[in-house]
Structure formats: C-alpha cells, structure tokens
Amino acid sequence: MDESAGIIRIWDDIHYMHSQRRFLLLFGILVLYGIPLLVIAGLETSWSLYTLLRIAGVWGFISLSLGALLNLKKGAVKSQFGRPFIRIHHYFAISGLILITIHPVLYAYLALDPGVFIPDFSSLYAFFATGGRTALILLYVAFCAGLVRMALKNRWRYIHILVYPALIIAAVHANLIGQTMTHPLIYLIINGLALSVCCTFVYMRVHKMNPGSGRHRTDR
C-alpha cells in the first residue's frame, strides 16, 4: 500500500509539473501577442485601418516565427499543446500567413498603390526596406510547397525552408521602416524572434548534417 501510494504521489507530482509547464507556455504565448496589441493601441489616438495594419504585421510575424520555432521540439509539441505537431504548426503558419497578407493589403488600400506587392530592386537599401514584399512571395512559395509535398516528395523541404530567409528579410524590413519598431518592447520581440529563427535554422541544418551529434551529447 505504501509503495502504491508513493507511485501515485510521484505520478501526481509529474502531472502537476506538466500542467504548470503547459500553463506557463500558453501564458507566455498570450503575453507575446498581448504586448503588441496594448502597445499599438496605446500609440494610436483612435482605432483605424492603420492600427489593424500594424497589429496584423506584428502578429503575423509572431505567428510565423512560432510556427518555425516549433521545429526545435517536435516531440514535445503534442504533450504541451495536446495536439499533433503538424496541426499546431499549421495553426501558427496559416494564421501567420493570413495576418502577414492583411498587412500589405490594408497598406495598398490606404495608399491606393497596388505596387506595394512588387519587390524593389532599385538599390540594396530599397530591397531590404521594402523587404516585406519579397518575404511575402517567399512565404507563399514555401506554403505552396507544403501543400503539394506529396507530389514533390522530399524535395518540398528544400522549398519549404524559404520560410526562414523570408522571416529574416521581414525583420530587416521592420527595423528599417517599421514605425512600431520605435517602441522598445516591439523592437525586442521582433528581433528576439528573428534571432531565435536564425538559431533554429542553423541548429536544424547542423543536426541534419550530423544527426548522431545530439545522441552523443545526450549519452555524455
């Protein structure tokens, strides 16, 4: 009886710790989305399409970045979110793609300029300052590769990783001309996620070239 009670207590402790981690994870994600909303709402004297434009841009970047970062711990996603990795990944990726599309669509409507979707190659600065245009194209190419991955077989992965350079270009674009980036919290969130995406990409490439490295480190 004492042994059984001890096992039950250990199981309850593990379950409690697991629930705490899930709560902290979900709370952290909520805060990540909530901070830009509060900051942007506080900077605006009244809500407008321009306000929604800015929120969509920041939220879209956050969603796409989280979708990419999930690749680091695919096995832990189901235990933390209660859903398969691919489903959670798609939630973030699709919502991010929709939001990041709303961003230039609203800008084109407000500026009455459909040319905002065309990349500018007039100079290096112009290319990166308007890099959101290039990033959007790369994101859609990567998304389409995921849709037809069965037809492309393993080759789809080489196209799908365009998400990573797209996010980096989008971050540079935000730093160069994003007015919301003047706020230190937004600046920290966007650049922190961009750095994390870079590290994720490098880690995954190194791990793929040397798949046994992680196992050897664990053994040690």
Side-chain angles (χ1 to χ4, degrees), residues 77-99:
V77 170
K78 186 173 182 178
S79 63
Q80 295 300 322
F81 290 94
R83 296 289 188 276
F85 162 78
I86 195 66
R87 182 173 297 181
I88 300 300
H89 175 73
H90 285 165
Y91 285 159
F92 283 112
I94 293 173
S95 62
L97 192 61
I98 292 172
L99 288 164

Side-chain angles (χ1 to χ4, degrees), residues 21-167:
R21 286 197 299 268
R22 178 181 294 184
F23 172 78
L24 291 174
L25 177 62
L26 295 177
F27 180 75
I29 293 174
L30 182 63
V31 169
L32 200 59
Y33 283 97
I35 289 175
L37 177 63
L38 295 175
V39 168
I40 294 172
L43 293 175
E44 300 289 334
T45 55
S46 61
W47 281 71
S48 64
L49 289 179
Y50 186 70
T51 308
L52 297 178
L53 177 155
R54 299 170 74 181
I55 293 173
V58 177
W59 276 7
F61 186 86
I62 291 174
S63 296
L64 290 168
S65 296
L66 291 178
L69 294 176
L70 288 177
N71 286 290
L72 278 175
K73 292 290 184 180
K74 290 183 179 181
V77 170
K78 186 173 182 178
S79 63
Q80 295 300 322
F81 290 94
R83 296 289 188 276
F85 162 78
I86 195 66
R87 182 173 297 181
I88 300 300
H89 175 73
H90 285 165
Y91 285 159
F92 283 112
I94 293 173
S95 62
L97 192 61
I98 292 172
L99 288 164
I100 214 71
T101 302
I102 291 174
H103 179 70
V105 166
L106 287 178
Y107 186 82
Y109 172 76
L110 292 171
L112 299 176
D113 181 14
V116 299
F117 297 99
I118 303 173
D120 187 347
F121 298 102
S122 60
S123 69
L124 188 62
Y125 175 82
F127 173 77
F128 283 108
T130 61
R133 308 174 185 185
T134 304
L136 188 63
I137 294 173
L138 294 178
L139 288 169
Y140 269 99
V141 171
F143 177 74
C144 290
L147 291 179
V148 296
R149 62 183 180 274
M150 297 300 293
L152 294 173
K153 297 182 179 179
N154 289 333
R155 292 188 298 273
W156 76 276
R157 298 179 185 276
Y158 297 104
I159 304 174
H160 199 62
I161 60 174
L162 289 174
V163 169
Y164 293 96
L167 288 172

